[in-house]
Amino acid sequence: MITTWRGFPPELKRELSALASDDGLNVPIGELITALLRFGLKEFQHGRLTLTPVQKRTSFTLPLEGAK
């Protein structure tokens, strides 16, 4: 199984990589991420993990005419 994990903050990626490293659990990072995602999904399905959506405000602006 291939697991991709884009969009995670760099600090979290560093912490997870350190946990998976030879000095930590000594497992491939993809296996660790897959295990954590499966655990979280199982807990959510059993109602032991609740997620609260938070709106993210995004704004787009157009450059002034002639500016690049």
Side-chain angles (χ1 to χ4, degrees):
M1 176 183 297
I2 296 173
T3 303
T4 60
W5 51 304
R6 293 178 291 230
F8 284 61
E11 182 178 311
L12 179 59
K13 283 187 175 187
R14 281 191 298 276
E15 288 178 24
L16 291 170
S17 294
L19 182 60
S21 73
D22 292 339
D23 295 333
L25 297 172
N26 194 24
V27 297
I29 186 70
E31 286 186 27
L32 176 62
I33 299 303
T34 298
L36 290 172
L37 290 173
R38 282 186 179 159
F39 177 78
L41 179 59
K42 180 180 163 189
E43 294 299 299
F44 178 75
Q45 289 170 336
H46 286 97
R48 294 185 290 257
L49 172 66
T50 56
L51 303 174
T52 307
V54 177
Q55 287 187 343
K56 182 178 178 182
R57 173 174 266 166
T58 305
S59 63
F60 298 97
T61 57
L62 296 173
L64 297 173
E65 192 173 317
K68 291 185 180 182

